[in-house]
Amino acid sequence: MPQTKAGATDEIVVQACPVREVLDRVAGKWSILIIVAAARGPVRFTELERSIEGISRRMLTLTLRNLERDGLLTRTVYATVPPRVEYELTDIARELHQSLLSLTGWAQRHRETISAARHAYDAERLAEGR
Amino acid sequence: MPQTKAGATDEIVVQACPVREVLDRVAGKWSILIIVAAARGPVRFTELERSIEGISRRMLTLTLRNLERDGLLTRTVYATVPPRVEYELTDIARELHQSLLSLTGWAQRHRETISAARHAYDAERLAEGR
DNA sequence: CCGTATCCCAGTGGATACTG
DNA sequence: CAGTATCCACTGGGATACGG
């Protein structure tokens, strides 16, 4: 088991700050992408693998398990041959997805501004020889 | 953004990209905490250091620089003795902070549910000897 | 007061090969 | 099809010490 993460952050920091709690749930490189990809309806493993560009088999599995563990995703196995597994968002995950929309809106509105700020900042440091 | 063959699966990825962008900006252990802490008004370095429990001097500096670089934070140095530096959210950071509220709301509403789901999941694996 | 500079380790995630 | 198992590289971030 390469990645068990039930560390001190779960209890100490999270209690003090609900913000931390969201972030822990949604952090990691792939969680949100999976939530978005599954927002339309039930998805199969391979579907996710294909639609989320760049994700490895390992990380897909790992992230799915964590989301399932947190009750954001349900996993349904159909005893067919070949096997078929479907993942579906739970109600609270759908709620989360709605909240996410506000964030993506922000990102889209300001992506240019942020990119510009970044370049300006870098250019300035460069000019100073830093 | 180059339009590739726009299949149904590609759309998912495309829509998810802005999400990635937000996440990259806001990822890391401390970014959001700083944004929240600075939401009330200008804050000094030491103020942040004290109010954000557990943050190291190094990470505070690092995170502040990144936020500044992305244009989410302004840094104002007052040439006094002893030196005084104030950090303040930019307008787009305040917008981000508003969007964050929707997320923290979600976290607070469902923290119990999620915690329960997590324990249930763990208990089940344990019972199966996994 | 406000940082920078090093050192270092745990954790994250990629690549690849194997299985029910 | 839907995963596990294994190995490995990279980096986020803590501890600590020093400088303007």
Side-chain angles (χ1 to χ4, degrees):
Chain A
M1 207 173 296
Q3 275 153 343
T4 41
K5 56 169 295 188
T9 48
D10 282 82
E11 295 177 339
I12 304 172
V13 185
V14 160
Q15 278 188 354
C17 193
V19 188
R20 262 267 64 74
E21 206 176 340
V22 194
L23 210 59
D24 286 347
R25 202 122 286 121
V26 138
K29 206 168 169 181
W30 306 108
S31 302
I32 293 192
L33 291 180
I34 290 180
I35 291 175
V36 171
R40 306 175 171 192
V43 250
R44 301 181 60 173
F45 187 89
T46 315
E47 262 182 288
L48 286 170
E49 194 177 11
R50 276 190 308 249
S51 65
I52 301 176
E53 199 185 16
I55 196 169
S56 67
R57 228 179 194 66
R58 182 180 118 91
M59 286 316 295
L60 180 55
T61 303
L62 241 45
T63 312
L64 285 172
R65 290 293 171 276
N66 281 328
L67 292 174
E68 191 194 351
R69 185 163 104 107
D70 287 342
L72 299 185
L73 229 48
T74 60
R75 178 173 179 269
T76 314
V77 182
Y78 299 92
T80 59
V81 178
R84 179 166 141 237
V85 179
E86 280 186 354
Y87 295 91
E88 189 168 14
L89 293 192
T90 61
D91 288 345
I92 69 173
R94 287 183 193 287
E95 259 188 60
L96 174 59
H97 180 240
Q98 282 307 115
S99 297
L100 253 25
L101 258 34
S102 152
L103 270 195
T104 61
W106 178 86
Q108 280 171 328
R109 282 197 304 281
H110 300 296
R111 66 163 33 152
E112 293 297 334
T113 309
I114 291 174
S115 178
R118 196 176 266 239
H119 283 100
Y121 185 92
D122 291 347
E124 201 169 330
R125 308 299 119 165
L126 197 63
E128 291 172 3
R130 285 271 296 153
Chain B
M1 197 182 301
Q3 261 300 4
T4 47
K5 49 258 162 95
T9 50
D10 289 297
E11 256 180 280
I12 295 177
V13 180
V14 168
Q15 285 191 346
C17 280
V19 188
R20 260 271 60 76
E21 253 177 283
V22 190
L23 214 60
D24 287 347
R25 204 123 285 121
V26 136
K29 206 169 170 181
W30 307 109
S31 302
I32 293 192
L33 291 179
I34 290 180
I35 290 174
V36 171
R40 303 175 176 188
V43 251
R44 301 182 58 173
F45 187 89
T46 316
E47 262 183 287
L48 286 169
E49 194 176 11
R50 277 189 308 249
S51 64
I52 302 177
E53 199 184 17
I55 196 170
S56 66
R57 227 178 196 64
R58 182 180 118 90
M59 284 318 295
L60 181 53
T61 303
L62 241 46
T63 312
L64 285 172
R65 289 294 169 276
N66 281 329
L67 292 174
E68 191 195 350
R69 186 164 105 105
D70 287 342
L72 299 184
L73 227 50
T74 60
R75 179 173 179 268
T76 314
V77 182
Y78 298 92
T80 59
V81 177
R84 179 168 142 236
V85 180
E86 280 186 353
Y87 294 91
E88 188 168 15
L89 293 193
T90 60
D91 288 345
I92 68 173
R94 287 184 194 286
E95 259 188 61
L96 175 59
H97 180 240
Q98 282 305 116
S99 298
L100 254 25
L101 258 35
S102 154
L103 270 194
T104 61
W106 177 87
Q108 278 170 331
R109 281 197 305 280
H110 301 296
R111 68 163 31 155
E112 293 298 333
T113 310
I114 291 174
S115 179
R118 195 177 267 236
H119 285 101
Y121 184 94
D122 291 347
E124 201 169 327
R125 308 301 119 163
L126 198 63
E128 291 172 3
R130 285 270 297 155

